[in-house]
Amino acid sequence: MKHLMNNPKLYYLRALAIWLTLFCSHNLRSQEQNSYNILSVVFYNVENLFDTEDNPLTFDDDRTPTGKDVWTQEKYRDKIAKISRVLSEIGTEVAGTAPTVIGLCELENREVLEDLISHPNLAAYNYGIIHFDSPDSRGVDVGLLYKKGIFTPVNSVSRRLLFYETEDPSKRVYTRDQLVVSGVLDGDEMHFIVNHWPSRSGGEAKSSYRREKAAFLNKQIIDSLYQINPYSKIISMGDFNDDPTNKSFKKILNTRASKENLKFQELYNPMEKMLKEGHGTLAYRDSWNLFDQIYMTQALTGTDFSGYQFYRAGIFNKAYLVTPGGQYKGYPYRSYGYGGYTGGYSDHFPVYIYLIKSQSPSSSPGGGG
C-alpha cells in the first residue's frame, strides 16, 4: 500500500479497478433481483398445535388446562406467537418476504390456523386457509396457508388413506388424510399435496407398510393429475415419517436425488442429497432423520423460466430453533418435553424451497407482501 501511495497514477488505477469491480458486482445482483420473481414454499410440523378446549370426539384430553400437559391459554398464546414468528421469517433472506404457500401438520382444527394467521407476525400477509378435519384418533390434521393475492385455489380435496392392521384385518388404522389443493400461482397452474404419513410407532420395520400405503396413495394422486395434464407442476410436502432413501420414496414413488437427466414425469427430491450430507429435521437418540421433505414433478425442474421453476431447497434451522443446552442440546427446540412445557417451538425444523420465474422489467419483485 505504501508503494502505491508513492505512485499516485498507480494508486488511482488500482482504486478505479476496485470501484468498477464493486459497481459491476452490485449492478449484477440488482439485475438478478429484477429479472426474477422469487417466492418460497414451506412445510412445518408444528408439534401439536392444539387449542385449550376439550373435544369429546378426539383424544385431546392431555392438551387442556386440567389435562396431563396443563395446556393453558398462556401456553397456547405463547406457542402461536412462536410459530407465527418462524413462519414470518422463512425464506425472507432470498424472497424478501414471508412464504407464499405454507403446508402444516399436527394441527387440531381450523381455529388454531385462524389464530395463527391473525397474529401480528402474519396478519399483514393476508393468508387464506384450506383445512379439512381428518379421522386421526388424536384429531391432528394437515392444512395449507396461502397468500390470497398470489395463489388462487380452484379445487381442494381431502384424500382418505384407508387401510387395516396386518395382524387384525378387521381393525382399521385411522390416520391423516392427504390434502390436495389445485390453483393458480401467479399465473401458473400449480398443485400442492400436504402429507403427514403414519408414524413409526411399534418400530420402523413393523410400521413401514403403513407409510408404503401412504406412498401408493400419493402416487395415485399425482398420476390422476397427470391424466388431466401430463406436464402438471406438482409439489408434495409433509412429515413423511420416512427418510428420502426409504422404500416408500425410492421404490414406490421412485424419487430421484438429482434433477439432472430427470425423465418425463419422474419426481425430484432435493432432500435426498441433504440427508446424505448429514442434514436432518429431527433427532432421536443422537441420530438425525430428514422426515420433513418437499419433492416435485419433473415439470418444475426445467429451464423455461416463463413459468415457475425450482431454484433451491433448504432446512430452516436458525439458532433460536435449536435447544441451547442440556441432554438434548443441538436438537430442535421443542415446546413440550418429558418435564412439561419447555417454551420452545417444535420438535421438527421446517423445510422450504424457492421457486423462480422471469419477470418483465415493469413488473414488481416476486413474493408479494
Side-chain angles (χ1 to χ4, degrees):
M1 176 63 83
K2 194 171 183 180
H3 171 69
L4 291 175
M5 292 295 289
N6 290 334
N7 189 331
K9 184 177 181 180
L10 187 62
Y11 179 81
Y12 170 78
L13 290 173
R14 177 69 180 273
L16 179 62
I18 293 173
W19 181 85
L20 285 171
T21 299
L22 292 174
F23 174 80
C24 290
S25 175
H26 172 76
N27 192 45
L28 178 61
R29 287 196 301 270
S30 298
Q31 286 180 353
E32 288 176 346
Q33 290 173 356
N34 291 333
S35 296
Y36 294 97
N37 283 325
I38 306 175
L39 56 82
S40 57
V41 176
V42 165
F43 176 79
Y44 196 12
N45 178 330
V46 293
E47 191 201 343
N48 296 319
L49 183 55
F50 280 61
D51 62 23
T52 60
E53 301 296 321
D54 180 19
N55 183 341
L57 300 178
T58 62
F59 297 108
D60 69 341
D61 305 58
D62 289 346
R63 284 298 168 108
T64 60
T66 57
K68 179 175 69 69
D69 294 338
V70 194
W71 189 240
T72 62
Q73 275 292 324
E74 182 182 9
K75 292 174 183 175
Y76 173 66
R77 287 193 295 269
D78 183 53
K79 175 93 172 179
I80 289 287
K82 286 186 161 101
I83 296 299
S84 63
R85 175 197 172 181
V86 177
L87 295 177
S88 73
E89 295 180 0
I90 301 174
T92 56
E93 293 175 355
V94 173
T97 183
T100 299
V101 175
I102 304 170
L104 299 169
C105 79
E106 293 203 9
L107 312 161
E108 185 178 19
N109 48 42
R110 183 184 179 90
E111 285 71 26
V112 300
L113 289 173
E114 291 173 348
D115 289 343
L116 192 62
I117 66 173
S118 298
H119 191 277
N121 288 332
L122 295 177
Y125 297 111
N126 193 27
Y127 281 109
I129 297 172
I130 299 177
H131 167 270
F132 295 89
D133 287 315
S134 75
D136 180 85
S137 59
R138 290 198 306 124
V140 292
D141 307 325
V142 299
L144 190 85
L145 305 179
Y146 61 93
K147 285 183 176 176
K148 294 179 182 178
I150 304 174
F151 180 68
T152 303
V154 174
N155 185 59
S156 59
V157 63
S158 188
R159 290 290 301 272
R160 192 128 299 174
L161 178 58
L162 182 62
F163 65 97
Y164 298 83
E165 292 282 11
T166 52
E167 298 87 353
D168 183 0
S170 66
K171 184 178 180 182
R172 181 182 162 187
V173 178
Y174 289 92
T175 188
R176 280 77 58 173
D177 296 342
Q178 295 184 19
L179 175 61
V180 187
V181 180
S182 301
V184 180
L185 179 69
D186 187 23
D188 262 24
E189 181 186 279
M190 198 78 66
H191 310 274
F192 299 97
I193 311 171
V194 188
N195 305 261
H196 187 191
W197 289 3
S199 75
R200 293 189 169 190
S201 177
E204 177 188 348
K206 187 178 179 181
S207 63
S208 64
Y209 79 96
R210 300 180 177 186
R211 291 178 297 282
E212 288 158 22
K213 290 278 189 183
F216 275 119
L217 175 59
N218 204 249
K219 189 175 187 305
Q220 287 176 349
I221 294 168
I222 292 170
D223 287 345
S224 68
L225 293 171
Y226 278 149
Q227 290 295 317
I228 301 169
N229 178 5
Y231 299 93
S232 289
K233 292 183 175 181
I234 307 168
I235 294 172
S236 192
M237 57 181 145
D239 173 2
F240 297 95
N241 277 302
D242 262 347
D243 285 318
T245 51
N246 283 123
K247 180 181 177 182
S248 55
F249 282 95
K250 301 307 293 180
K251 299 296 183 182
I252 298 171
L253 288 166
N254 197 30
T255 53
R256 303 299 183 187
S258 172
K259 64 178 181 176
E260 303 302 323
N261 302 316
L262 203 65
K263 295 178 182 177
F264 179 57
Q265 294 189 344
E266 282 190 326
L267 298 171
Y268 169 53
N269 188 353
M271 307 307 187
E272 185 173 343
K273 183 180 178 182
M274 292 183 190
L275 177 69
K276 291 176 179 177
E277 292 173 345
H279 302 293
T281 55
L282 72 159
Y284 179 67
R285 294 181 178 175
D286 295 328
S287 178
W288 283 90
N289 291 99
L290 215 167
F291 290 170
D292 306 272
Q293 303 170 53
I294 304 176
Y295 57 95
M296 68 208 70
T297 52
Q298 178 260 347
L300 276 158
T301 63
T303 56
D304 179 8
F305 292 102
S306 61
Y308 279 104
Q309 298 289 341
F310 170 78
Y311 172 54
R312 190 192 303 170
I315 299 169
F316 190 75
N317 52 5
K318 296 293 185 182
Y320 71 85
L321 291 174
V322 180
T323 304
Q327 181 182 356
Y328 301 107
K329 182 179 180 180
Y331 287 21
Y333 188 14
R334 62 188 304 158
S335 59
Y336 247 91
Y338 295 112
Y341 189 63
T342 62
Y345 296 78
S346 172
D347 53 352
H348 291 243
F349 291 138
V351 292
Y352 61 91
I353 62 169
Y354 293 117
L355 300 178
I356 63 173
K357 81 169 182 177
S358 299
Q359 67 169 4
S360 62
S362 60
S363 62
S364 60

